[in-house]
Amino acid sequence: WAATTDSTLSPYSLDRGVLSCAYDTVNNKLVIMNTDGNTSPYNAYAAVCTPVAGPSVTFGTAAQVSTTRSYQNKIIYDVASGKMVLYYKTYVSSHYVINAVVGTVSGTSISFGTPVVAYTATGAIWFDVVYNSTNNNHILAWGDDGGTGAAVIGTVSGTSISFGSAAIFRNGTCLTGGTPLSVTWDSGAQRIVVGYIDNASPNNVAYVSVGSISGTTITFGSATRLTDVSGSTVSGITLLTLAYDSYAARTFVALWKSGTGQWALDLTVSGTTASIGNRLALPASNYSMTAYGTIYSLNSIFLGGSINKILYTFNGYASLVQGYYVTTNATGWFGLATGTVTNGQSVGVTALGGINTNQSGLTANTVYYMSSTGTMTSASPGYGKVGVAVNSTSILITSPWYTP
């Protein structure tokens, strides 16, 4: 990559979360958003480039996004509309405001529709937003100094975006001082997962809340308190980040506590609740995650394709973590036997698209997965979906892990 020399994209050192980027898959463009750290009033700008191999990347002229200082920025690529949606936090008339505007990319330029206010509050806000690939909408979550944590659904139409009614996931003790929260879309469970830090006694306890979606309405279930790597309750947490691993079919949360370090938990989502599965202490070495100094930002993203790992980044360091931790050959299956035989005998196999009738105890219309022991389970162990039960003895195979 080559760095842009546009001074309006220089970072503003006093604020976290001002630098964001997203990839436009239709136009093969990368859009970068940042707050101008050189010129008052520190507006937000966005610039477009074409990703190419080598150091010859060229950015177009940066376009002004906000008309006042932006304290936090986030870009989301809307797959359904082929548009960029730029979110930014400003301070207007004694209120913090979360704004959203739709951007249209053409060449190395970007133009904007009319900005809308997604949320306004008297206290400090920290927000996060994720694209819902199932329903083709946006999930915007925030927390403020008043103790409220809430989320809302945003839908793009043309060059505008509109939002539904906010749903509260925490009321009265959530997120002091704009402490970061994180939101992800668990596509396997078809649920929103929000991770946040609560200021109730004991202070700085981490939770996740799970929400279901119906249209533009969100309904949250009871919160799950997160633990440390040993499974014990823990307070004093200052940062967390969520990422959904589509390979392991799990949501993962990484947490950081000063003096302790960082660790990751995998979450199984069922209905509107989350349960904790595996726990992993994240590495503490150079070019990996460390417990040294003060961490100001912690982020994560799932890298698919041939990598299939979660990338965690903070303060210039990074760590790749495998999404599941069980050693098994269960991921090598390609079909289900049509009968029971002994070693050395031939047996028929039902493969992709077929209905296997050699089962028992299944629940109709339930999704089943392959476990580490080679048996099927309705609770996802992280090795992939087998199919959907037709009745108590039959299952339609929809997702073989390996195709010979």
Side-chain angles (χ1 to χ4, degrees), residues 54-246:
S56 58
V57 175
T58 301
F59 285 85
T61 302
Q64 183 175 329
V65 180
S66 68
T67 57
T68 185
R69 175 178 170 179
S70 177
Y71 293 81
Q72 185 188 352
N73 305 314
K74 187 70 179 284
I75 306 180
I76 296 293
Y77 177 63
D78 189 288
V79 178
S81 66
K83 304 288 187 180
M84 291 287 178
V85 182
L86 295 82
Y87 295 83
Y88 54 100
K89 182 179 74 176
T90 57
Y91 190 73
V92 181
S93 300
S94 302
H95 286 74
Y96 283 96
V97 177
I98 303 175
N99 310 272
V101 65
V102 177
T104 302
V105 173
S106 177
T108 57
S109 299
I110 184 169
S111 58
F112 305 111
T114 301
V116 299
V117 174
Y119 179 70
T120 181
T122 55
I125 304 168
W126 185 272
F127 73 86
D128 193 18
V129 60
V130 68
Y131 184 71
N132 178 343
S133 58
T134 303
N135 302 312
N136 294 317
N137 53 34
H138 300 219
I139 303 161
L140 172 66
W142 64 83
D144 62 34
D145 271 352
T148 300
V152 69
I153 300 296
T155 305
V156 173
S157 177
T159 58
S160 63
I161 184 169
S162 59
F163 295 91
S165 299
I168 294 174
F169 55 81
R170 199 69 168 176
N171 198 359
T173 57
C174 181
L175 301 163
T176 63
T179 304
L181 60 72
S182 185
V183 61
T184 193
W185 173 248
D186 190 312
S187 59
Q190 301 288 290
R191 294 291 186 266
I192 303 167
V193 184
V194 184
Y196 53 95
I197 298 168
D198 194 289
N199 195 41
S201 181
N203 291 342
N204 287 47
V205 174
Y207 291 87
V208 291
S209 291
V210 177
S212 60
I213 293 179
S214 178
T216 58
T217 300
I218 305 172
T219 303
F220 283 102
S222 300
T224 298
R225 181 173 175 174
L226 301 178
T227 64
D228 63 15
V229 73
S230 67
S232 302
T233 56
V234 60
S235 60
I237 297 170
T238 53
L239 293 172
L240 57 72
T241 180
L242 292 175
Y244 178 71
D245 184 333
S246 59

Side-chain angles (χ1 to χ4, degrees), residues 19-61:
L19 178 62
S20 182
C21 65
Y23 177 63
D24 181 337
T25 58
V26 173
N27 296 294
N28 185 33
K29 303 294 182 184
L30 183 71
V31 181
I32 295 178
M33 184 180 183
N34 206 350
T35 295
D36 178 3
N38 298 308
T39 307
S40 180
Y42 312 117
N43 298 324
Y45 286 80
V48 182
C49 73
T50 303
V52 294
S56 58
V57 175
T58 301
F59 285 85
T61 302

